[in-house]
Amino acid sequence: MLSLRVKLTLALLFTGLSGVIIVAVLVQRLTTAEFDHFVSEQERANFIADMAAYYEVYGSWENIQIAHGRLPIAPLPANLPPDGAFSRTPGPIRFMLVDQDGLVVIPDQGYAPGQPIAEADLQRADAVVVDGETVGYVIAGARWPERNTLEESYLGRINRILWWATGGAIALALLLSFLFARSLSRPLHEIAAAIRAFSRGDLTSQVPVRSRDEVGQVAAAFNQMSADLARANRLRRQMTADIAHELRTPLSVVVGYLASLSEGLLKPSPERLQIMHGEAQHLQRLVEDLRLLSLADAGELRLHRQWVAPGELISLAAVTFGHQAEQRHVTLDVQIEPDVPLLHADPDRILQVLSNLLSNALRHTPEQGRITLSARQQDGQIRLAVQDTGPGIAPEHLVHVFERFYRVDAARHQEQTESGLGLAIAKSLVEAHGGSISAASVVGQGTTVTLAFPPSPRREGR
Ligand code: ATP
Ligand code: MG
């Protein structure tokens, strides 16, 4: 199979070649025709001048003689000027001469001497004028002018130059076609090599972007894909490591207790069983969270959507956490704007999100602090927000809080049961509803997490 480079080179070469050859042939034909035309015009002018000179000397056409179809006319008069007017017609005669009465003097084209010329032929005749008087007519003969050796060599030179120019143009076309084909096929070769390296497992492979055209765009798109996949791969590895790490602590606690209990080193007591139960519950929650995330990733999360009032969801969450807030001496404020449109959503999932946001807020809000839950419509979107007066999240952490297993203060959470999956799950659930989640925070003042949903398409009749 021919490579793209060869195919492109051949295609460009053939295109260039056909153009060059057509032009070369046309120029060659035109040059020859124009040259012949020029020569014959010159001959005709010379012949007319010769005839006029003859008539001027002899005063009639009577004694004009042609030897073997050639001029000059013998005998030449002695009073002819030295730079003789007859010297210009050395070749065979290719013209007819007709006298002023229209009778043929020098015949051609089937006419005999003395025969009257046809009106149609006289139409294309040139007058021979002596002293302002028309003394005869010259008409082109049937024969095409033959070129003499000088003219032939002149035409030959022109043709040689033309063929050299054609050869040069072909060589240039070949060189340019090759360079152009190479410039097109080279990035494709590089991309193909990078894809092969990619399939061998080198996810970092990149190709140089040499242009902004379509090929350059393919190279840039490949680089983007390669970078995205490398990032996804890194995140996957990180996630596996995080999961292993998260499972290890509670598992080692449970395994340690079970080993000591079975060896009789420890006696089972309600507190010890309570600890083991707590760790097992933590494991269970972790596994459940991971399952939820993987379902959301696969787009297989089942949402039991129904029409719900956002205010009701907010109130329900506030009631659920009311007791905890009271215990922590935190004020739980609820602000629900009137006329917030209904949301077509899975109420359990939205409540799950709000619960995580509320438990985060409660965990971070000091005593006498305030948590505000709100539902409103803004910029055409339905917005649910949880705002606290906690310590806030520094900008360098804020950009990562929705990542899986990301915890702002990892050390503080080490012994606690938070896994750093809450906001990642919240993001997945909100996005599964077609909404978005964002966090804004001012260190020392508090944090606001907002869920924004596009207005749900109305059911018919509502
Ligand atoms: P999980 O929710 O899985 O139990 P988590 O609460 O640690 O664990 P996320 O809810 O994802 O995890 O929160 C991520 C990080 O953001 C946490 O480390 C948490 O400290 C921080 N964070 C979340 N909400 C707030 C808030 N309102 N104020 C300050 N920090 C917050
Ligand atoms: Mg949380």
Side-chain angles (χ1 to χ4, degrees), residues 10 46 63 69 87 130 144 147 157 201 207 231 233 276 281 319 325 362 388 429 445 450:
L10 288 179
N46 287 349
N63 296 317
S87 59
V130 174
W144 185 248
R147 297 178 207 119
R157 270 204 312 283
V207 287
R231 186 171 163 274
N233 199 39
M276 289 206 305
Q281 274 184 320
V319 170
L362 268 175
D388 65 48
L429 289 176
Q445 286 187 20
T450 308

Side-chain angles (χ1 to χ4, degrees), residues 285 356 360-361 363-364 388 392-393 401 406-409 413 418-424 447:
R285 207 192 109 195
N356 177 55
N360 282 353
R363 199 158 6 102
H364 291 96
D388 65 48
I393 307 170
V401 287
Y406 190 85
R407 284 173 296 209
V408 170
D409 184 358
H413 291 278
E418 288 89 39
S419 56
L421 286 174
L423 286 178
T447 305

Side-chain angles (χ1 to χ4, degrees), residues 362-390:
L362 268 175
R363 199 158 6 102
H364 291 96
T365 308
E367 282 194 8
Q368 313 310 327
R370 173 182 289 270
I371 297 175
T372 310
L373 280 160
S374 63
R376 63 182 195 285
Q377 190 178 18
Q378 191 188 335
D379 302 332
Q381 289 185 316
I382 300 163
R383 290 172 183 249
L384 310 182
V386 178
Q387 185 179 15
D388 65 48
T389 54

Side-chain angles (χ1 to χ4, degrees), residues 171-243:
L172 195 68
L174 181 66
L175 180 73
L176 289 180
S177 311
F178 176 76
L179 290 179
F180 184 63
R182 199 180 65 160
S183 80
L184 260 182
S185 64
R186 191 166 147 205
L188 291 177
H189 277 298
E190 287 169 346
I191 293 170
I195 290 174
R196 279 196 292 276
F198 199 78
S199 62
R200 282 196 301 270
D202 176 13
L203 297 186
T204 57
S205 68
Q206 296 269 302
V207 287
V209 180
R210 299 184 190 282
S211 58
R212 287 189 188 181
D213 59 10
E214 286 83 347
V215 179
Q217 285 170 17
V218 170
F222 173 83
N223 287 346
Q224 182 66 44
M225 182 196 72
S226 163
D228 288 350
L229 278 174
R231 186 171 163 274
N233 199 39
R234 206 172 51 246
L235 285 178
R236 187 177 55 79
R237 278 201 215 132
Q238 179 66 42
M239 174 122 166
T240 313
D242 286 341
I243 292 171

Side-chain angles (χ1 to χ4, degrees), residues 259-396:
S260 304
L261 287 171
S262 67
E263 285 167 12
L265 296 173
L266 285 177
K267 289 215 159 26
S269 69
E271 298 80 46
R272 284 173 187 147
L273 289 174
Q274 190 67 47
I275 292 172
M276 289 206 305
H277 186 224
E279 294 297 340
Q281 274 184 320
H282 177 46
L283 280 175
Q284 199 175 25
R285 207 192 109 195
L286 195 66
V287 170
E288 189 49 42
D289 282 353
L290 287 171
R291 198 180 78 88
L292 189 68
L293 276 173
S294 73
L295 279 179
D297 282 349
E300 286 170 5
L301 199 69
R302 286 251 181 110
L303 297 176
H304 302 286
R305 289 181 188 251
Q306 43 184 282
W307 290 97
V308 283
E312 272 175 34
L313 293 173
I314 290 286
S315 307
L316 211 59
V319 170
T320 314
F321 281 83
H323 181 61
Q324 274 187 50
E326 226 169 85
Q327 277 187 328
R328 289 173 152 265
H329 304 287
V330 169
T331 312
L332 206 57
D333 202 8
V334 174
Q335 296 178 352
I336 300 166
E337 273 185 9
D339 301 331
V340 179
L342 293 184
L343 202 58
H344 196 229
D346 185 335
D348 291 338
R349 295 303 190 191
I350 302 294
L351 274 175
Q352 187 180 353
V353 174
L354 290 174
S355 297
N356 177 55
L357 300 185
L358 265 169
S359 73
N360 282 353
L362 268 175
R363 199 158 6 102
H364 291 96
T365 308
E367 282 194 8
Q368 313 310 327
R370 173 182 289 270
I371 297 175
T372 310
L373 280 160
S374 63
R376 63 182 195 285
Q377 190 178 18
Q378 191 188 335
D379 302 332
Q381 289 185 316
I382 300 163
R383 290 172 183 249
L384 310 182
V386 178
Q387 185 179 15
D388 65 48
T389 54
I393 307 170
E396 65 267 28

Side-chain angles (χ1 to χ4, degrees), residues 3-21 169-185:
S3 74
L4 182 64
R5 183 181 302 183
V6 175
K7 280 185 199 160
L8 276 172
T9 308
L10 288 179
L12 292 168
L13 189 65
F14 280 131
T15 316
L17 217 61
S18 39
V20 165
I21 288 174
I170 289 172
L172 195 68
L174 181 66
L175 180 73
L176 289 180
S177 311
F178 176 76
L179 290 179
F180 184 63
R182 199 180 65 160
S183 80
L184 260 182
S185 64

